[in-house]
Structure formats: C-alpha cells, structure tokens
Amino acid sequence: MATVEKSDDGGSLVPTLVSVLGGISLVIVSLLAFRYTISDQATEAARLDRMQQYVYWSQPFIYVLAGLLATSGDVRRAPVRAPIIGVFLGSMAFMALRRQEMLPSDAGSLTWLLTAGALFTLGGALLGALMGERTGTAAWVVLLLGIGVFIYAYLNLGSVSGMVQREVIQRAQGMTMAMTTEPVPDALVQLVDPQTQRVYYVGRTNSSGRFLFSHLAKPQFVVMVQDPLDRSVVISQEVRVEPSITGGTRWVTFALPSVVRDAGRIFE
C-alpha cells in the first residue's frame, strides 16, 4: 500500500520568514543607531565617509545572524535560501541609505552590500547547520558580539574642544592704557582631514569663545579658525584626536591677531 508523505514545505517557510523579518528589523535598528555615532556638525563628506566605514563592520553581524535564524528548523534548505535573504537585506540597506543620500552614487557600495549579504548569510547558515541544536545560542552570541562592537566603537569616539581669544589693546592719545585677553565669539571653526583636505566638521564659537566637536572617529584633524573681523586671517593647528574613553583630546587654544581700541581722551 502506497504511503503519502506529508510535505513540510509550508513549515520550512517559517524560519525563512523569521530570518527576513529579523534581518529587516536589525538593518533598521543599525541605521538608526548610526545617528548616535556622528555629530550634527558633520559635513556631507564626513557623513558619507563615516557611513561607508560603519556599513562595512556593522552589516556582516546582521547577515550572519539572519543565516543562523534561517537554519532554525530547516537545516537542509537554509544554505540555499540564505544567499537570497542576504542579497535582499543588502539591497534594502542600500536603497534606504541612498534615499537619505548617505552613500555615494557609485556602484562600489551596492556591490559590496550584495556580495557581503550573500556570503555572510550563507556563512551563518552553514554555521547553524554545524551547530545543530545550539543554533539559538550561536545567534545570541553573534547578536551580543555585534552590540559589544558597537559599544566599543561608540566609547572610542573622540572630541576636540578649545577656545578662541585675542589680545585687546586699549589706547588713548597714542598711549597704551591697558591690555586684556578677551574671548572671540562667533568665530568659524572647521576640522579638516589632513590627507584629503576636505572639511569634515563645521562649527562656531559661543559667547565665551569656546567650541566643541564630538563623536569624531578619525585620529587626526587640522583645526582651522577664521577671524570674524578679517576673514582672510585663518589660523590652523593639527591635533591628534584621543578617544573619550581615555580622557579625550587636550584643550586647544587659538590666539587671533590683537586689535586696538580707542579708549578716548585722557584729559578733556
């Protein structure tokens, strides 16, 4: 008597659906988390550069995790479906970033995301097949490892702060009456990449002549200060950015050219 085998095709779609939905959620969360790693003072050049670096190390964790989720209850089909899931997640991340103009228009980023999505998701599925019943534990380890790497990267972001001031000479009838050091408010301050010469961060001094740039990932910048009284005068100084976790970068002080103020007549 012939026996009828019950098809498990319907059940095998559940791990795939969990993998896709979980991957989509993690992609969205990772892109939202990027906002906490970059300052509002960043220029477009800085955002593009940082996002490329961020995508290269953050997305592989998601793809591996998606591959592991795909093997849950469907070890046999997971390696076949995993690359397709990875390509879908990679293309989704690319479209979301391009819509926000956070990736360059060249095809390099798309190629990397699609290739990494297929390979890392396949790697996750193969790892899940090897782990067997411990696939869930492996998924938690990958998730916690990804969160740990993000926290480490966040804590190692640096900052550059300082003050802009100038010497003010008080004169009356050609005689120097007093010399004081005063803060310079509203001075344009820029952080320039010493290698590409591109401006990465732009800010201005406050009423106390102070400025602060935070969430910096690059190890070195050239700080350029423009004199608000004479825009042709620009003072620059190269600084090495130290991670905030180690205490941050040493305070930088800029002295603009001195100015002379008329104190009026000494005797009337």
Side-chain angles (χ1 to χ4, degrees):
M1 182 177 178
T3 59
V4 178
E5 294 183 2
K6 185 178 180 180
S7 174
D8 61 347
D9 287 347
S12 67
L13 292 176
V14 175
T16 302
L17 183 61
V18 171
S19 175
V20 171
L21 294 179
I24 291 175
S25 301
L26 289 174
V27 167
I28 294 173
V29 170
S30 69
L31 298 184
L32 292 176
F34 173 76
R35 299 180 180 180
Y36 295 96
T37 68
I38 192 165
S39 170
D40 294 336
Q41 300 161 305
T43 63
E44 181 181 2
R47 289 193 297 270
L48 290 175
D49 184 68
R50 286 287 303 284
M51 177 54 81
Q52 281 187 296
Q53 298 176 12
Y54 181 79
V55 164
Y56 287 157
W57 65 260
S58 66
Q59 300 307 293
F61 288 102
I62 298 174
Y63 302 148
V64 172
L65 186 59
L68 286 169
L69 293 176
T71 61
S72 178
D74 192 10
V75 176
R76 183 164 58 89
R77 295 178 178 84
V80 178
R81 295 175 176 174
I84 301 175
I85 297 173
V87 169
F88 171 77
L89 294 177
S91 60
M92 174 191 164
F94 178 81
M95 288 187 293
L97 291 173
R98 282 296 299 142
R99 184 179 182 84
Q100 300 178 42
E101 298 182 349
M102 294 294 288
L103 279 180
S105 57
D106 60 84
S109 299
L110 175 61
T111 302
W112 188 90
L113 282 169
L114 297 182
T115 304
L119 294 179
F120 282 100
T121 311
L122 175 60
L126 295 176
L127 177 61
L130 292 175
M131 297 295 292
E133 295 181 355
R134 293 176 295 177
T135 300
T137 302
W140 277 108
V141 170
V142 172
L143 178 60
L144 293 176
L145 182 61
I147 295 175
V149 172
F150 175 85
I151 293 175
Y152 175 81
Y154 178 80
L155 293 177
N156 277 273
L157 294 174
S159 62
V160 172
S161 58
M163 172 181 282
V164 180
Q165 58 189 23
R166 76 165 83 245
E167 193 174 69
V168 178
I169 304 172
Q170 301 283 351
R171 285 185 179 176
Q173 295 179 283
M175 298 176 58
T176 300
M177 306 301 297
M179 297 177 63
T180 58
T181 301
E182 298 182 2
V184 179
D186 201 36
L188 178 65
V189 185
Q190 298 177 325
L191 298 189
V192 180
D193 186 338
Q195 296 181 343
T196 64
Q197 299 301 312
R198 291 188 297 178
V199 177
Y200 270 48
Y201 297 88
V202 178
R204 289 186 178 275
T205 55
N206 60 16
S207 58
S208 301
R210 299 180 179 180
F211 64 87
L212 170 65
F213 295 95
S214 58
H215 299 92
L216 309 179
K218 282 187 172 293
Q220 214 158 7
F221 281 106
V222 175
V223 184
M224 302 183 66
V225 178
Q226 184 183 68
D227 192 336
L229 298 181
D230 185 356
R231 295 183 180 181
S232 64
V233 176
V234 177
I235 299 177
S236 62
Q237 179 178 337
E238 189 167 320
V239 295
R240 183 169 184 82
V241 181
E242 300 294 338
S244 299
I245 195 173
T246 61
T249 309
R250 183 179 299 178
W251 183 276
V252 185
T253 301
F254 289 86
L256 295 178
S258 59
V259 296
V260 178
R261 290 179 183 169
D262 187 5
R265 299 179 62 84
I266 303 176
F267 304 105
E268 292 295 342

